[in-house]
Amino acid sequence: AQGYGMLTLSTLNENEVQKLNDVTPQRGAPIACIGAGTGLGQCFLVADPSGDYHCYPSEGGHVEFAPRGEGNDSVQVELLRHLKIKFSGWNRISVERVVSGKGICNIYEFLAYQFPQRVDKVMHREFLGKNGDASVIAKHAKEGSLCQEALDIFAACYGSQCGSMSIQLMPFRGLFITGGVSKKMSHIFGDKEGIFMSAYGDKGRVSPLLDQVPLYLVKNDDMGQRGAHRRAVQLLKEHLSGRILEAEEGVDRDRDHLVAPRGFAGEADGHAGEVQKLVSAFRELTVRNRRLSINNPQEDEHQPVFKSMLWRLPRSGYRMAPEDWMHREMWIAKNGSLCYKSHATGEGLVYWTKEDLETATIGITDESNTSRPWTFHIEVEGFQPSFFSAESQEGRDFWIQQLKEMQKK
């Protein structure tokens, strides 16, 4: 859910994300997500040939913790030894034992054991009284204190793990840092010369690779809900369109094996018919909202009367994100439909039918609401508006003129 939530973010909206470097995202490249919270969650997304992103889970938080340190600095090595003893002498320690909320507590406990003369007795009693709460450590993190040293070690290990994920997946569309702990400790990410960023970029010979990875700190704490909602809508559309995923082909499912759904509100009070009408209307809207393939018998009707290259915004795209716009060949067909050529498959597709365009509102888009110049929009009642951008003002005005003339025929 967190991974799909990344697709709902606008990387240009400072209220949603904080840019940690100045790297331009590459359209269609992988996306990675990492988040320190109760544990260390990780996932990644890759685009299919049609440009839709699919999220895959990962247990990367359970890879081995790898101590680091300049020269003869062995603090993290000693931390590893301490954790191996604490967790019953296992021959390995997961990185989330260090990079997580509980990890901060583990680091502090190690430092308190290693340097008892530096322990703040009042703070330590509060820490023990709250059964090891990382917020107590953050509250007492003063310069030179064990609490501050614990957070510095946490930041270094977190940065290193983010860097490792980047060189493993090469997420040139973006590495997004989420999680409750990440949000509460956002101050460790802002300094480009700070501990986190220094550890992030310290990957030896392949360090220059990280200069191509956009790095973002997610400020929202509802990414799970947003991602779950987006994925649910996506699956519903696939189901209603009759699309069969390759992974599902050949799977034998019997309706009798499924649990019957709960009755919806309305069955008991006689409104079932109204609810069914709404379901039917939604099904019709969803089916009509799909791109329609231009089949061979209809090819002549879809021959262009006017054609040029346009920038097109996908329906899942964000108008203020330049990387979301796609350059496509588009045309108005003989039958009055608006068509385009798919970059993924090379086939011709109908974007809007003649019936859609007859009642559409066509106009110029305010420049403050788009990242591209010379943008215009087409609005059809009951549908999400579509946005296009021409190469010049003359090109935009000519497209609008052609579309409006087609409406009159």
Side-chain angles (χ1 to χ4, degrees):
Q2 285 279 335
Y4 282 109
M6 300 306 104
L7 301 177
T8 70
L9 289 170
S10 165
T11 56
L12 298 181
N13 188 340
E14 295 181 353
N15 294 321
E16 292 193 327
V17 298
Q18 176 184 344
K19 292 183 65 175
L20 302 182
N21 59 10
D22 297 319
V23 182
T24 302
Q26 297 182 23
R27 185 189 304 122
I31 299 171
C33 175
I34 183 171
T38 307
L40 181 62
Q42 298 183 20
C43 63
F44 62 98
L45 301 93
V46 294
D48 63 19
S50 67
D52 291 328
Y53 276 89
H54 299 271
C55 185
Y56 297 90
S58 168
E59 289 294 347
H62 294 281
V63 301
E64 281 77 12
F65 165 54
R68 303 172 69 256
E70 296 182 355
N72 64 352
D73 182 354
S74 60
V75 173
Q76 291 191 25
V77 174
E78 294 301 322
L79 171 61
L80 174 61
R81 290 174 179 165
H82 174 85
L83 294 176
K84 287 175 68 176
I85 295 172
K86 177 178 180 179
F87 295 105
S88 305
W90 295 106
N91 63 357
R92 64 181 299 281
I93 290 295
S94 297
V95 68
E96 77 167 11
R97 298 285 195 187
V98 178
V99 184
S100 63
K102 186 60 179 174
I104 296 175
C105 298
N106 289 334
I107 298 170
Y108 169 76
E109 289 172 358
F110 155 71
L111 293 174
Y113 173 80
Q114 195 81 349
F115 307 104
Q117 69 280 5
R118 295 175 54 194
V119 172
D120 181 329
K121 305 297 183 183
V122 175
M123 173 271 164
H124 197 68
R125 281 196 297 269
E126 182 181 353
F127 175 75
L128 296 177
K130 293 191 175 181
N131 297 318
D133 187 344
S135 65
V136 177
I137 300 171
K139 183 174 71 172
H140 292 274
K142 301 175 183 178
E143 193 66 34
S145 66
L146 288 184
C147 293
Q148 184 60 55
E149 187 172 347
L151 295 186
D152 288 347
I153 293 174
F154 167 80
C157 294
Y158 201 175
S160 176
Q161 186 62 19
C162 288
S164 296
M165 192 176 191
S166 289
I167 61 176
Q168 287 171 342
L169 299 175
M170 294 191 289
F172 298 143
R173 181 72 188 262
L175 172 63
F176 292 83
I177 302 172
T178 66
V181 173
S182 304
K183 183 180 178 183
K184 292 174 183 176
M185 299 187 59
S186 59
H187 61 279
I188 72 173
F189 303 101
D191 185 359
K192 293 186 179 182
E193 304 298 327
I195 295 174
F196 175 89
M197 290 301 295
S198 295
Y200 170 77
D202 185 15
K203 293 301 175 186
R205 292 169 293 173
V206 296
S207 295
L209 180 69
L210 300 179
D211 295 335
Q212 303 177 55
V213 178
L215 191 60
Y216 304 100
L217 172 65
V218 178
K219 297 181 178 181
N220 297 56
D221 54 10
D222 62 346
M223 302 315 300
Q225 297 95 312
R226 289 166 62 165
H229 177 266
R230 188 186 193 284
R231 181 57 174 159
V233 172
Q234 182 182 15
L235 289 172
L236 177 60
K237 288 183 177 181
E238 290 174 356
H239 171 71
L240 294 177
S241 68
R243 176 182 174 189
I244 299 177
L245 302 179
E246 292 182 4
E248 296 180 347
E249 291 180 355
V251 177
D252 185 17
R253 290 191 177 93
D254 193 317
R255 184 183 294 267
D256 294 335
H257 294 162
L258 302 177
V259 178
R262 294 181 178 180
F264 49 76
E267 286 184 339
D269 56 13
H271 295 295
E274 295 180 13
V275 175
Q276 187 57 48
K277 289 180 181 178
L278 289 175
V279 172
S280 299
F282 177 76
R283 182 186 296 270
E284 179 185 355
L285 182 149
T286 307
V287 172
R288 288 184 63 218
N289 209 24
R290 290 182 295 145
R291 301 292 179 264
L292 305 176
S293 179
I294 298 176
N295 299 319
N296 289 332
Q298 301 174 326
E299 279 187 353
D300 185 62
E301 297 179 4
H302 290 91
Q303 289 299 309
V305 295
F306 170 68
K307 179 169 68 173
S308 75
M309 298 297 293
L310 283 179
W311 291 91
R312 178 176 69 84
L313 183 71
R315 300 205 174 188
S316 60
Y318 178 59
R319 294 198 302 277
M320 301 304 294
E323 68 273 11
D324 282 358
W325 290 81
M326 300 185 297
H327 207 211
R328 294 291 182 266
E329 180 181 275
M330 305 201 67
W331 67 91
I332 298 174
K334 291 180 179 179
N335 63 3
S337 60
L338 178 62
C339 307
Y340 74 105
K341 186 176 182 179
S342 169
H343 180 72
T345 64
E347 66 175 331
L349 298 171
V350 176
Y351 198 99
W352 289 117
T353 66
K354 181 178 185 298
E355 291 73 24
D356 293 329
L357 292 175
E358 285 177 346
T359 59
T361 299
I362 303 167
I364 296 174
T365 304
D366 192 312
E367 290 187 0
S368 63
N369 293 325
T370 174
S371 61
R372 288 202 56 81
W374 309 304
T375 299
F376 64 97
H377 55 267
I378 300 176
E379 297 183 21
V380 179
E381 185 177 357
F383 292 84
Q384 181 179 343
S386 54
F387 294 88
F388 308 91
S389 173
E391 299 290 351
S392 65
Q393 179 178 334
E394 293 77 10
R396 178 196 63 193
D397 295 343
F398 193 71
W399 261 99
I400 293 176
Q401 177 186 345
Q402 292 295 314
L403 288 167
K404 289 186 174 181
E405 287 182 0
M406 187 63 68
Q407 287 182 313
K408 299 175 183 177
K409 295 182 180 180

